[in-house]
């Protein structure tokens, strides 16, 4: 069950689906939930939910790339780029879950790592054809979108549920 700590409830609207509990202590308000969390009208995903969402979307992109391989070269190139972006982002986030979170590395540094991966894709592009540029464009724009979404998650304090 994801658990989020909010320093203050001043001006914060909280809605959670599934089972949820809200408690307060001297450090703020703790919200635990089993479904989705909506803060001030915007869905906020826990790091675990982000990882599951990215993995599912990456699998969908892979299926789309397979489906379009022989029928739509541009669609295939785009789907390959999107798939590569999700795979890259999931690996970076998995590294955080596996080692770096326990060592105290903030999730905001993972956001920066995804942006660095995006820059590296541009630098390594080299001499590619139009479809290669389309793949790189899809990958880099997707990575930028993923970093932005993860930045929202990283702006909150998440706790390990007990």
């Amino acid at each position: 069950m994801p658990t989020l700590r909010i320093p203050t409830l001043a001006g914060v609207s909280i809605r959670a689906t599934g089972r949820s509990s809200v408690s307060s202590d001297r450090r703020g308000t703790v919200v635990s939930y089993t479904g989705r969390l909506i803060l001030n009208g915007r869905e906020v995903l826990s790091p675990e939910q982000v990882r599951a969402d990215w993995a599912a979307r990456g699998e969908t992109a892979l299926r789309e790339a397979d489906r379009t391989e022989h029928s739509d070269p541009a669609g295939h190139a785009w789907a390959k780029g999107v798939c590569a972006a999700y795979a890259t982002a999931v690996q970076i986030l998995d590294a955080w879950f596996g080692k770096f979170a326990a060592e105290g590395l903030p999730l905001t540094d993972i956001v920066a790592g995804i942006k660095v991966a995006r820059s590296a894709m541009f630098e390594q592009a080299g001499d590619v054809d139009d479809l290669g540029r389309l793949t790189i464009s899809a990958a880099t724009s997707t990575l930028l979108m993923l970093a932005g979404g993860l930045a929202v998650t990283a702006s909150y304090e998440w706790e390990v549920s007990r």
Side-chain angles (χ1 to χ4, degrees):
M1 180 165 15
T3 302
L4 170 71
R5 178 172 293 280
I6 303 170
T8 178
L9 277 180
V12 177
S13 164
I14 300 173
R15 190 178 72 176
T17 64
R19 268 191 7 240
S20 63
S21 69
V22 178
S23 62
S24 295
D25 61 21
R26 67 186 185 295
R27 291 181 33 222
T29 301
V30 177
V31 180
S32 297
Y33 60 98
T34 58
R36 298 288 188 193
L37 179 66
I38 312 294
L39 294 178
N40 293 335
R42 183 173 181 176
E43 183 175 32
V44 177
L45 299 178
S46 71
E48 293 85 359
Q49 289 172 314
V50 168
R51 197 250 178 247
D53 181 61
W54 288 359
R57 290 175 186 261
E59 288 175 16
T60 300
L62 180 59
R63 283 193 301 277
E64 182 65 14
D66 288 345
R67 186 185 70 75
T68 58
E69 184 172 9
H70 300 292
S71 62
D72 179 6
H76 177 67
W78 186 265
K80 278 188 349 186
V82 171
C83 184
Y86 279 108
T88 300
V90 165
Q91 287 178 350
I92 293 170
L93 193 52
D94 281 349
W96 182 75
F97 281 123
K99 180 178 180 185
F100 299 121
E103 293 178 359
L105 185 73
L107 194 54
T108 52
D109 286 0
I110 299 305
V111 173
I114 291 171
K115 290 179 180 179
V116 167
R118 176 184 178 267
S119 296
M121 283 185 180
F122 271 128
E123 290 176 14
Q124 294 177 3
D127 189 26
V128 295
D129 62 7
D130 288 344
L131 292 176
R133 279 191 288 284
L134 186 59
T135 298
I136 292 167
S137 177
T140 56
S141 63
T142 301
L143 282 171
L144 189 59
M145 176 200 62
L146 297 177
L150 187 59
V152 172
T153 296
S155 68
Y156 296 99
E157 182 182 339
W158 297 92
E159 296 183 352
V160 176
S161 27
R162 297 170 204 143

